[in-house]
Every structure is written in structure tokens, then in C-alpha cells.
Amino acid sequence: MNQNLTTDRQTFVTHLECSIIGERYEADQLHGLSRAGRPLLVRYDLDAVRSAVSRDTIEARPTDLWRWRELLPVRHTSNIVSLGEIETPLVPLTKSGGPNVLVKDEGRLPTGSFKARGLVMAVAMAKELGVTKIAMPTNGNAGAALAAYATRCGIETIVFCPDDTPEINVREIAMQGARVWRVNGLIDDCGAIVGKGAAEGRWFDFSTLKEPYRIEGKKTMGLELAAQFGWKLPDAIFYPTGGGTGLIGMWKAFDELETLGWIGSERPKMFAVQASGCAPIVRAFEAGEEHAERWEDASTVAAGIRVPKAVGDFLILRAVRESGGQALAVGDPAILKAVDAAAKQDGLLLCPEGGATLAAYHQALNTGLVDEDDKVVLFNCATGLKYPMPEAPQALDRTRPIDFDAL
Ligand SMILES: *Cc1c(COP(=O)(O)O)cnc(C)c1O
């Protein structure tokens, strides 16, 4: 048993709050969106957390996601199904990035993506609140993480993905015990099917930000960064933004850490990175809008950020603006070039979405949004091994003379 999970501690959650009008909702009850149709945010008694634990207590624990137990929503540890959620390393990307560029390599998490952080939490809460059947729209990685954790605790899952979702994602979802359906549409079209079934009472809707606890899981990225940077934060964070859960979660983590007195008031510039073929947040950012219109005919190699419409749009835009960062779009050719550069020059295989952050970093450097001295974190959200790679067709016939000079 993980040492961070040995006591069945109570949570410090006090209530939930509508992210747009602040309306209060009870803890320990099953919630989807708020009555205003927006995400719910989980609130904690941070004074009590401060009395219960210190930075030193946390640092003395094994380095995994559960060392942050007091800042997480699960009431009974027995409801947590863990697959080993490690703290992910910061890997320098010296050549293709620069001297101060670190990649937070989320590909090392269970199911090979950072969706594990959100789903391990959301599934534990679903179990705690008595949910037995879950449906979800996905571009691939979220479905895989849901399937793994839900299957592990006996919750039935039905997953809908766009029909051009990477093949490996569809297969891993099926292999891990979910019923998976390819749909001839985009992720929000899949979401509409999930919503319809949920309205009929067939299942619980696990769409991004439509249940409150995925943000809490993703928040641990911000908590980890604070600890890894010695209770300071980097100067800039580049986050590939689809639904934006991670960006919203990190921003929330920083506020909670400041209230605890564990970090100061400085914040990194948050860069929301999107693909030019699907950039609703960038368009809204540039137009000075608070919400983002749906992006029509969305298309990009970076499937994980092909999200035409995000329910948490205003939360992403708010965090980016408050931080002094920007929303940036990068084209597919730049994304693929960045993936290639990181692999060939630094030996680190990024997913396309991770490649997008590297491309965006160079764009920001060229336009003076960051400079070379800035300590920068790029998010690689999934293992590069899940994505297509160029062929390597050379073969050697060992029964014939070998031209060693040509090898
Ligand atoms: C889901 C996903 C993203 C986007 O994350 P959000 O927090 O939903 O914006 C980026 N990259 C990959 C590989 C993903 O699976």
C-alpha cells in the first residue's frame, strides 16, 4: 500500500462553488455543472489544512500525487483506486529548447498521459458518491484513463470518440474494459450524445469540467511544480489547451498555495497553446472576449487539443490574462518540426501537443513575450510512443556481405 494513503483521513473540502456566479453547493453530493451551466470549483478549509500539514510534512512523504492528500477532495482513502500516480520529472530540453527550458514529462503517468491525474480523482469521487455507470466524450487519452480507473473499481463505462481518434487510443480504451464507440463528428458532437443519455438518466456525464473533480486532480501539476521549484514558480508555463482543465487547475493550485502561505504572490506567465486549425481560445483572447465561440471545421495533428468549444473558456482566458501571458496558435508543420527537433536533438519523444508547446515557446521567444533567461516549463502531456512516427524501413541481410561503412 502506498504510504501516502495509509490512513483513511477526512477531506478538508467545505463546499463547491459555481465558477461564474459563486453560488454555493454542498459537498458530499453528486454534482455536474452548476445551475448556471458552468463548472463547479471545490473549496477547502485552508486554515485547517495549514494547521494539519506543513510544506515540510509534504516534502517528507513519498513523491507521488497522494502526498497532496489534504488538498484533494476524496473523503475516504478506501475509495481511491491507484495505478501508481508518480510525480513527473522536469527534463531539460537544452538543444531544441534552450538553457532554461524544462519539459514536465507527463507521459510517465499511468495510461501514458496526464489525463490519469484528473481521472484518478474523478473516478474516486464517483465511487464515493455511488455512481455505477459513466459516459464520456474523448479525443483519446481521457477515455483511456477513465477506462483504466473505472474498470479497476467496477464502474461501467461507455466512451464516445471522433472516428479519426488515434487508433491506439481507441484500442487501449476497449482493452481496458470500456465500451467504446467511434462517432462521425468532433468531441463536442460526442459530448452531445453523452449529454442526451445523461438527461435520460442512463449514466453520469464525465465530460471535461462537467463534473467538479477532474480539475482537482489536474491541480496537482501546479502543486508539484511549486515543490519542484523550491516553493517558487517558473517564469512561464506553456500548456497545450483543449478543455483547459490543467491550466485552470494549476491556477487554482497557485491561489491555494498562496493562501496557505507556502508560496508568494508571484505567478508564472501562463501561455495557452492551441493549434492554428482549432484555436477558439486564441481568437477570443485576441478579440478581448470573455467567452470563446465554437471553432468550425477544427483540424490538427494534435488530437488532444482539437476542442472546438470549451465550457471553461472564461476560466482559461481569465487565468491567462491575470498572469500576463497569452494564448498562442501554432501550425501543424511547426508542431511536427518541434517533435522532430526534440527527438533528434535532445532524445526526448514528445506527443504532438507537447511539440506544440515547444513551437509556441520559440514563437514567444521571437516576439519578445519571454526571453532566454526566463525559466520555462513546457507540458508534454502524453508519451510520444502513442503517436505515429516516420517509418524506419532499413533492413540488413546478414547472409550477404555487410558494407560497414554504409551503416
Ligand atoms: C487532453 C489533452 C490535452 C489538453 O488538456 P486539457 O487540460 O483538456 O486542455 C493536451 N494534450 C494531450 C495529449 C491530451 O490528452
Side-chain angles (χ1 to χ4, degrees):
M1 179 88 196
N2 178 330
Q3 281 177 52
N4 290 336
L5 292 177
T6 43
T7 51
D8 206 27
R9 251 167 284 163
Q10 293 249 310
T11 179
F12 290 87
V13 172
T14 51
H15 64 285
L16 289 77
E17 202 175 273
C18 171
S19 56
I20 204 151
I21 58 169
E23 191 188 357
R24 196 184 164 105
Y25 291 77
E26 295 299 309
D28 301 309
Q29 289 180 10
L30 193 62
H31 297 294
L33 289 173
S34 72
R35 277 180 282 271
R38 292 295 170 175
L40 288 172
L41 298 174
V42 181
R43 297 300 180 200
Y44 298 82
D45 180 350
L46 293 172
D47 289 331
V49 172
R50 194 187 302 110
S51 313
V53 279
S54 64
R55 295 192 317 199
D56 293 344
T57 325
I58 303 264
E59 286 193 314
R61 293 177 181 167
T63 48
D64 69 11
L65 184 149
W66 302 107
R67 76 195 317 210
W68 303 103
R69 184 73 177 87
E70 288 82 355
L71 287 167
L72 298 173
V74 186
R75 188 173 291 282
H76 300 288
T77 299
S78 52
N79 289 320
I80 294 171
V81 278
S82 172
L83 287 162
E85 297 71 33
I86 59 157
E87 177 180 281
T88 59
L90 290 165
V91 183
L93 206 63
T94 326
K95 294 179 190 141
S96 60
N100 292 305
V101 177
L102 298 170
V103 172
K104 187 135 174 83
D105 193 7
E106 299 280 294
R108 326 260 177 134
L109 285 160
T111 70
S113 89
F114 69 178
K115 291 295 193 300
R117 293 184 189 270
L119 271 311
V120 72
M121 207 64 61
V123 168
M125 291 307 291
K127 185 177 175 211
E128 193 151 274
L129 297 168
V131 174
T132 56
K133 197 166 173 181
I134 292 171
M136 173 199 264
T138 181
N139 279 326
N141 289 321
L146 171 65
Y149 288 111
T151 294
R152 215 169 154 78
C153 67
I155 295 178
E156 202 181 332
T157 48
I158 303 151
V159 172
F160 302 90
C161 57
D163 50 11
D164 59 350
T165 297
E167 185 62 26
I168 189 158
N169 288 136
V170 184
R171 292 190 188 193
E172 66 180 323
I173 294 167
M175 184 84 182
Q176 287 163 175
R179 297 206 293 283
V180 57
W181 296 89
R182 291 183 172 86
V183 177
N184 53 347
L186 291 175
I187 188 165
D188 52 351
D189 301 310
C190 298
I193 299 170
V194 172
K196 193 152 188 279
E200 289 175 7
R202 293 177 182 278
W203 51 54
F204 185 62
D205 186 341
F206 244 47
S207 306
T208 306
L209 301 183
K210 289 191 183 168
E211 66 73 52
Y213 302 106
R214 248 211 265 184
I215 295 182
E216 296 306 297
K218 284 281 198 82
K219 183 177 88 176
T220 58
M221 297 189 293
L223 302 174
E224 273 177 30
L225 280 180
Q228 287 175 307
F229 276 83
W231 307 101
K232 289 188 205 76
L233 296 171
D235 297 310
I237 293 177
F238 288 75
Y239 185 83
T241 306
T245 330
L247 197 148
I248 296 165
M250 282 192 279
W251 200 243
K252 182 172 188 285
F254 299 153
D255 280 348
E256 290 172 0
L257 289 172
E258 186 183 352
T259 305
L260 287 169
W262 294 2
I263 62 168
S265 58
E266 309 80 29
R267 293 287 185 276
K269 286 184 189 160
M270 304 296 280
F271 290 95
V273 179
Q274 299 202 298
S276 316
C278 182
I281 299 296
V282 179
R283 188 171 57 190
F285 180 85
E286 288 173 354
E289 307 280 356
E290 213 199 322
H291 292 279
E293 294 287 308
R294 182 176 198 266
W295 187 277
E296 300 303 327
D297 303 317
S299 141
T300 168
V301 287
I305 53 175
R306 195 179 57 175
V307 178
K309 175 108 186 103
V311 256
D313 53 2
F314 65 108
L315 296 171
I316 303 168
L317 287 160
R318 237 181 245 172
V320 169
R321 288 188 177 118
E322 278 176 30
S323 77
Q326 277 208 17
L328 298 173
V330 289
D332 279 3
I335 291 175
L336 295 172
K337 208 174 130 211
V339 170
D340 198 61
K344 295 231 170 78
Q345 297 167 28
D346 289 290
L348 187 67
L349 195 58
L350 302 176
C351 61
E353 297 78 3
T357 65
L358 177 56
Y361 169 68
H362 285 296
Q363 186 180 312
L365 204 55
N366 291 337
T367 53
L369 294 172
V370 291
D371 64 57
E372 274 207 331
D373 298 333
D374 286 330
K375 286 197 184 66
V376 166
V377 171
L378 311 179
F379 270 87
N380 184 49
C381 309
T383 168
L385 291 172
K386 285 201 195 193
Y387 301 88
M389 281 175 247
E391 276 182 49
Q394 298 89 330
L396 205 60
D397 182 350
R398 67 183 169 79
T399 65
R400 299 181 60 88
I402 292 172
D403 177 1
F404 280 90
D405 290 336
L407 296 177

